[in-house]
Amino acid sequence: MELLDRFLNYVKIPTASNSKSKTTPSTNSQFLLANLLYDELKNLGIDDIYYDEEKCYIYAVLKGKEKYDKVGFISHMDTSEDAFSSKINPIIHYNYDGSIIKLNNEVIIDPENYPGLKDKIGKTIITADGTSLLGADDKAGIAEIMNMLEYFSQNECDHGDIYVCFTPDEEIGNSVENFSYERFPVDYAYTVDGYAAGEISYNNFNAATAYIEIEGISTHTGIAKDKMINALTVASELDSMLPNERPENTEKDEGFYHHYHTNGNHSRATMDYLIRDFSLKGFEDRKETLKKIVDELSEKYGVKITLKIVDSYYNMYEVIKDNFYIVENVLAATKNVGIEPKQVLTRGGTDGTRLSSNGIPCPNLGIGGDGFHSVYEHVCYEDMQLESDILIEVVKESAKQHRIKK
């Protein structure tokens, strides 16, 4: 099947996950895509396919030679609930001329906002119609993986076992919750869920969430002097004492505190923060800074302030640096298809962050798109082809690299 046809078949199935759902998967529509992928894998003659029909995970293995590394590839079937629509209408813009792309609802995709488009003149750009996101995140990644599998199912060449997994609910942070490591016994893996074709990311934030609860002292406002301690006032002071390192003021490898939720009244207030830092030391320092501020305000006002910090994920670089040949595979593979690799930082987390912590080194690769989670989402078909070719070369390089290591 042609890569474009495959991709269009996928995006026409709306598979937005639902952050308010208590089920896994969070939406039944994800089963529709899973069923399609299961049938395609069977038609490709893949050796071993397992469909978790309860939790909506698909695992498959294309057998290779035992002497080579077992390599895995992962993409997610759900799409963001942002800009959701029950109907996705993809539009193909052939021979893109470099100008503003005009869609319905007066939506425009401006190259000034998405500079990567300036390099796509003469190529094919795929968008939705302006009423929804496209769903290239991560159906482009799925299509590229399937295209890679089709290549190896039809061509004889040296490689080890190739494992793939398609997961649900990645967009709401639940895709690894029911992941079966037993069905994915790889030496290393790659998530195919990034941005530009030819990029690789293996350096991401350490992440935690801080939950703060402030118990004020309430009195009637008429007799409040020297008695009332307003929890909202304490909350405001706490926020002002943090360094001015917030998402809107930081970039590249700069960490931050993100105050994303406050609730309450003068008697009681809660505050939630995201804590992010690339450096493990910086990560711990940020947590310590918050603890010191809480202690200082608790002593100053004589009120109870509780702080709970929950770590979410860690920088995969701490694992990848000791297995750097899996990055070198990608750098060589990217050059093999004629483009320069891009090593980028991820100001966030991927499935690979948790998989790396759990024993599967797992960098993230690009898919050839931009504008994700919005009506401005777009993907370049030629870049999808390039990324699929890179995946093929990664498998070949893994066998070659294995021989070098041995």
Side-chain angles (χ1 to χ4, degrees):
M1 184 185 298
E2 289 292 327
L3 177 61
L4 181 58
D5 294 334
R6 181 169 272 142
F7 174 66
L8 293 177
N9 287 342
Y10 300 163
V11 297
K12 288 176 182 177
I13 303 173
T15 57
S17 45
N18 180 358
S19 58
K20 296 180 180 178
S21 172
K22 302 300 183 183
T23 64
T24 300
S26 63
T27 52
N28 285 331
S29 60
Q30 296 179 64
F31 282 116
L32 299 177
L33 179 56
N35 293 336
L36 175 61
L37 294 173
Y38 179 71
D39 289 340
E40 280 193 33
L41 288 165
K42 287 198 298 184
N43 291 335
L44 287 177
I46 301 304
D47 300 296
D48 186 11
I49 310 168
Y50 178 76
Y51 181 10
D52 181 343
E53 296 186 49
E54 179 185 0
K55 300 297 185 182
C56 199
Y57 288 74
I58 291 183
Y59 305 87
V61 188
L62 180 62
K63 294 292 186 181
K65 297 179 180 178
E66 288 188 9
K67 65 179 180 178
Y68 298 130
D69 291 343
K70 298 176 182 179
V71 185
F73 298 90
I74 302 167
S75 286
H76 60 89
M77 293 180 284
D78 67 315
T79 58
S80 170
E81 56 193 331
D82 298 332
F84 167 71
S85 172
S86 60
K87 188 173 184 180
I88 311 297
N89 298 305
I91 299 175
I92 304 174
H93 308 264
Y94 294 102
N95 195 26
Y96 173 60
D97 62 6
S99 64
I100 289 174
I101 300 174
K102 297 181 180 179
L103 306 176
N104 295 339
N105 291 349
E106 298 184 353
V107 172
I108 64 169
I109 303 177
D110 191 337
E112 293 302 317
N113 297 327
Y114 299 97
L117 282 172
K118 297 176 181 179
D119 300 324
K120 312 305 178 194
I121 295 174
K123 296 184 178 180
T124 302
I125 306 299
I126 307 167
T127 70
D129 65 357
T131 63
S132 71
L133 49 68
L134 174 63
D137 175 15
D138 191 23
K139 292 169 184 174
I142 295 174
E144 290 155 8
I145 290 173
M146 292 293 286
N147 215 55
M148 174 269 293
L149 282 178
E150 184 173 45
Y151 173 88
F152 284 108
S153 69
Q154 296 177 352
N155 295 274
E156 289 191 13
C157 56
D158 284 347
H159 64 81
D161 292 349
I162 304 171
Y163 284 77
V164 301
C165 180
F166 302 127
T167 67
D169 290 341
E170 188 271 351
E171 296 291 3
I172 58 174
N174 293 337
S175 56
V176 182
E177 296 301 321
N178 297 285
F179 185 87
S180 173
Y181 292 88
E182 182 179 344
R183 295 192 179 278
F184 206 72
V186 298
D187 294 301
Y188 48 89
Y190 302 92
T191 49
V192 186
D193 189 21
Y195 283 80
E199 78 171 25
I200 178 171
S201 174
Y202 50 87
N203 201 334
N204 61 276
F205 280 137
N206 296 288
T209 303
Y211 303 96
I212 301 169
E213 183 175 325
I214 303 168
E215 296 291 342
I217 298 176
S218 177
T219 65
H220 189 285
T221 53
I223 56 170
K225 188 173 187 333
D226 298 328
K227 296 184 182 70
M228 178 184 286
I229 305 295
N230 189 324
L232 292 174
T233 302
V234 178
S236 178
E237 184 172 348
L238 187 155
D239 189 64
S240 71
M241 293 172 70
L242 284 167
N244 191 28
E245 296 165 350
R246 306 172 189 269
E248 59 269 35
N249 300 328
T250 56
E251 61 180 352
K252 299 177 181 177
D253 63 350
E254 298 170 336
F256 59 73
Y257 304 89
H258 176 44
H259 180 194
Y260 70 93
H261 186 258
T262 292
N263 189 36
N265 53 35
H266 64 281
S267 297
R268 177 182 175 275
T270 61
M271 310 172 72
D272 299 336
Y273 283 87
L274 300 182
I275 302 172
R276 299 291 188 265
D277 206 288
F278 281 90
S279 158
L280 191 57
K281 181 181 183 305
F283 183 52
E284 296 302 326
D285 287 348
R286 287 183 185 280
K287 290 190 279 188
E288 190 60 33
T289 295
L290 194 52
K291 290 175 184 176
K292 288 179 178 178
I293 291 173
V294 165
D295 290 344
E296 181 178 335
L297 289 176
S298 182
E299 182 178 353
K300 175 180 177 179
Y301 288 103
V303 296
K304 182 181 179 182
I305 306 177
T306 59
L307 169 65
K308 179 182 179 182
I309 298 178
V310 179
D311 287 357
S312 305
Y313 55 81
Y314 303 101
N315 191 341
M316 73 173 79
Y317 179 72
E318 297 303 316
V319 175
I320 302 298
K321 69 181 181 181
D322 297 324
N323 301 274
F324 204 72
Y325 64 93
I326 69 178
V327 174
E328 293 170 345
N329 288 346
V330 176
L331 301 182
T334 306
K335 291 178 180 178
N336 289 350
V337 303
I339 61 176
E340 280 299 311
K342 309 174 187 71
Q343 300 180 64
V344 300
L345 297 171
T346 296
R347 287 180 60 82
T350 67
D351 281 346
T353 61
R354 294 176 65 185
L355 293 174
S356 294
S357 295
N358 290 335
I360 301 178
C362 189
N364 190 34
L365 306 182
I367 62 173
D370 203 349
F372 304 139
H373 294 210
S374 74
V375 295
Y376 310 103
E377 185 180 13
H378 56 275
V379 68
C380 174
Y381 174 60
E382 288 80 1
D383 283 2
M384 287 179 60
Q385 289 179 310
L386 272 175
E387 192 59 46
S388 180
D389 289 342
I390 289 170
L391 300 186
I392 291 168
E393 292 297 321
V394 165
V395 173
K396 293 179 178 179
E397 285 294 327
S398 72
K400 191 186 304 181
Q401 190 70 256
H402 179 94
R403 288 195 292 269
I404 293 172
K405 286 194 298 171
K406 299 301 181 185

